[in-house]
Amino acid sequence: MGKLSCTCIMHTDSALIKLSRTSFFACVFLFLCLSVTYGKPINDTALKVQQNEQLKAVDEKILLKNDRDNIIVKESAEEKPFPPDHIEGVKLERDGHMNKEFRKEVFLGNEHEDFENIPRKEGEKKLSDMFLQVDANGDKQLSLLELTEWIAMKTEEHYAEAKEENTKNFPMFDPNKDGKITWDEYRTYFLKERGYSDEEISKFIKDNANIELHEDDDYELYRDQDRWQQADEDEDTQLNESEFLAFKHPEHCRGMLRLLVSEILHDLDQDGDSELSLIEFVSLPIGHEGELERMAKEDEWVRERMKEYKETIDSNHDGRVTIEELEVYMDPKSRHNAESEARHMLGVADLNDDGQLSIKEVLVNYDFFVGSKIFNYAKSVHDEF
């Protein structure tokens, strides 16, 4: 996504453009209705053919999106030293956008990707098996405490996986095998991955010569240097294995978490007061508060961010989010966050309002816990616009 500080205006423009754009599926429906009402009369057979063609087009777009996602998954499977934009088990991405996979990550844990490409019947079987694991006392009901404990455990699994992955892959980024990664070694790898030639890299690293860097690459190196210095606890300008873990996964290190939060705050904070208003959190220009309610009616992205801001992030409900509030919200190890997510799950899936979840209630809300491909496709189309 890039930097919100640099793309705020672009995002705002696209947000305003979206005011006049309904969802893809609504457009299809409206097109069909207008064809019948105002267009040339068409018989039922022709209408069905037209509808089938439109549905086929939607299916093809979904298949293309799935294919592209599979390619992205394969590419991301190759471990890279760069701090990831997406951090599992954390509610916000590095660019300040909501983590759309958060619920799946903290409830399904490391198995969440297994649910994406299996038939629903098989998914329901896996979800039922997971229900039994969450049900610690075996009473066939999931209580608030059981859900909270499960979410906390699954969040810890993400950290354990990151730590194991870091130990396994650290040597490949340490070419001289001295147990340290220097800033020059990191920059060399970074620039190679970005497609710069050996000659350009040599000039930049060894000769300190200026070379023409892509604007995004220049900014990322600048920001990574801040992260590097923060992670370098012994201040020797090199990172050992544990420091490198903090560099890549700041969410599990207190000092690094504060830096991550500061970066997000900096990108979203338009007036420079080190706090976030609601209008800033939904990335609208200050002064356009009057547009907020109207946009919320038309744009799910805006509705989600407004809801999250009011109900969760702004903990004292004073209409301003401080860096401390944002840090609590972003902290994956926070017991409060685990309980908050458990309460949200109960609020959505507890159909009989008994304060617990039965297996039936979990399966009825399968898409909520596992995620719907159609829903995810619609969300991704929104993000691309």
Side-chain angles (χ1 to χ4, degrees), residues 137-233:
N137 63 8
D139 66 351
K140 299 182 180 180
Q141 299 284 336
L142 303 186
S143 65
L144 174 64
L145 178 60
E146 287 172 326
L147 285 168
T148 301
E149 294 288 352
W150 178 261
I151 290 169
M153 182 182 73
K154 287 299 173 184
T155 302
E156 190 61 34
E157 281 183 9
H158 288 302
Y159 177 63
E161 182 184 40
K163 189 174 181 180
E164 181 181 345
E165 201 173 67
N166 187 67
T167 298
K168 177 183 176 182
N169 293 297
F170 181 83
M172 76 173 65
F173 308 124
D174 179 24
N176 60 4
K177 309 303 178 187
D178 64 351
K180 296 272 191 175
I181 300 178
T182 67
W183 175 239
D184 281 349
E185 286 172 338
Y186 174 79
R187 288 195 299 169
T188 298
Y189 192 97
F190 179 96
L191 294 171
K192 280 185 177 180
E193 285 292 310
R194 294 300 194 274
Y196 294 91
S197 68
D198 290 342
E199 182 181 356
E200 288 175 313
I201 295 172
S202 179
K203 285 181 180 179
F204 187 68
I205 303 294
K206 296 180 180 179
D207 302 334
N208 288 319
N210 289 325
I211 64 171
E212 188 173 347
L213 294 178
H214 188 277
E215 182 180 353
D216 287 345
D217 297 337
D218 190 34
Y219 183 82
E220 284 186 41
L221 276 176
Y222 168 77
R223 176 164 283 188
D224 281 353
Q225 188 168 20
D226 282 344
R227 296 167 179 165
W228 189 277
Q229 292 170 349
Q230 183 70 32
D232 182 20
E233 291 187 354

Side-chain angles (χ1 to χ4, degrees), residues 15 27 37 79 85 100 107 109 116 120 190 223 298 343:
C27 286
T37 307
E79 178 68 5
D85 290 328
K100 296 178 291 185
F107 185 72
E116 295 178 2
R120 179 166 181 138
F190 179 96
R223 176 164 283 188
E298 301 178 9
R343 288 186 185 279

Side-chain angles (χ1 to χ4, degrees), residues 71-86:
I71 292 171
I72 292 172
V73 167
K74 289 178 181 178
E75 290 177 346
S76 64
E78 181 183 349
E79 178 68 5
K80 298 184 185 301
F82 320 130
D85 290 328
H86 173 77

Side-chain angles (χ1 to χ4, degrees), residues 47-285:
L47 178 59
K48 288 179 180 178
V49 169
Q50 192 175 31
Q51 289 173 330
N52 288 334
E53 289 177 350
Q54 296 289 349
L55 291 174
K56 182 179 179 182
V58 172
D59 289 339
E60 288 175 350
K61 285 180 177 291
I62 292 174
L63 288 173
L64 286 172
K65 176 65 171 56
N66 288 339
D67 288 343
R68 187 178 64 184
D69 286 347
N70 289 334
I71 292 171
I72 292 172
V73 167
K74 289 178 181 178
E75 290 177 346
S76 64
E78 181 183 349
E79 178 68 5
K80 298 184 185 301
F82 320 130
D85 290 328
H86 173 77
I87 304 174
E88 292 196 349
V90 177
K91 291 185 176 182
L92 289 182
E93 308 282 15
R94 281 182 179 273
D95 60 10
H97 283 70
M98 304 292 295
N99 176 6
K100 296 178 291 185
E101 305 296 315
F102 175 75
R103 182 165 301 107
K104 291 195 293 183
E105 291 167 357
V106 298
F107 185 72
L108 304 178
N110 295 332
E111 298 179 54
H112 70 92
E113 292 181 357
D114 296 342
F115 283 83
E116 295 178 2
N117 298 305
I118 59 175
R120 179 166 181 138
K121 187 173 182 179
E122 185 179 342
E124 289 180 347
K125 174 64 168 59
K126 289 176 69 70
L127 194 57
S128 298
D129 292 341
M130 187 171 289
F131 180 96
L132 298 177
Q133 297 176 54
V134 184
D135 182 20
N137 63 8
D139 66 351
K140 299 182 180 180
Q141 299 284 336
L142 303 186
S143 65
L144 174 64
L145 178 60
E146 287 172 326
L147 285 168
T148 301
E149 294 288 352
W150 178 261
I151 290 169
M153 182 182 73
K154 287 299 173 184
T155 302
E156 190 61 34
E157 281 183 9
H158 288 302
Y159 177 63
E161 182 184 40
K163 189 174 181 180
E164 181 181 345
E165 201 173 67
N166 187 67
T167 298
K168 177 183 176 182
N169 293 297
F170 181 83
M172 76 173 65
F173 308 124
D174 179 24
N176 60 4
K177 309 303 178 187
D178 64 351
K180 296 272 191 175
I181 300 178
T182 67
W183 175 239
D184 281 349
E185 286 172 338
Y186 174 79
R187 288 195 299 169
T188 298
Y189 192 97
F190 179 96
L191 294 171
K192 280 185 177 180
E193 285 292 310
R194 294 300 194 274
Y196 294 91
S197 68
D198 290 342
E199 182 181 356
E200 288 175 313
I201 295 172
S202 179
K203 285 181 180 179
F204 187 68
I205 303 294
K206 296 180 180 179
D207 302 334
N208 288 319
N210 289 325
I211 64 171
E212 188 173 347
L213 294 178
H214 188 277
E215 182 180 353
D216 287 345
D217 297 337
D218 190 34
Y219 183 82
E220 284 186 41
L221 276 176
Y222 168 77
R223 176 164 283 188
D224 281 353
Q225 188 168 20
D226 282 344
R227 296 167 179 165
W228 189 277
Q229 292 170 349
Q230 183 70 32
D232 182 20
E233 291 187 354
D234 56 14
E235 299 182 353
D236 64 351
T237 71
Q238 304 174 92
L239 300 187
N240 59 33
E241 187 176 313
S242 62
E243 291 171 335
F244 193 59
L245 176 64
F247 173 71
K248 289 189 64 182
H249 293 276
E251 70 276 15
H252 296 287
C253 172
R254 180 60 58 189
M256 291 297 290
L257 177 63
R258 172 58 69 100
L259 178 63
L260 174 63
V261 171
S262 298
E263 289 175 356
I264 292 174
L265 181 64
H266 174 268
D267 286 344
L268 293 173
D269 181 20
Q270 298 177 40
D271 57 14
D273 65 353
S274 298
E275 295 182 344
L276 291 182
S277 64
L278 177 59
I279 198 79
E280 289 172 323
F281 189 67
V282 298
S283 299
L284 280 179

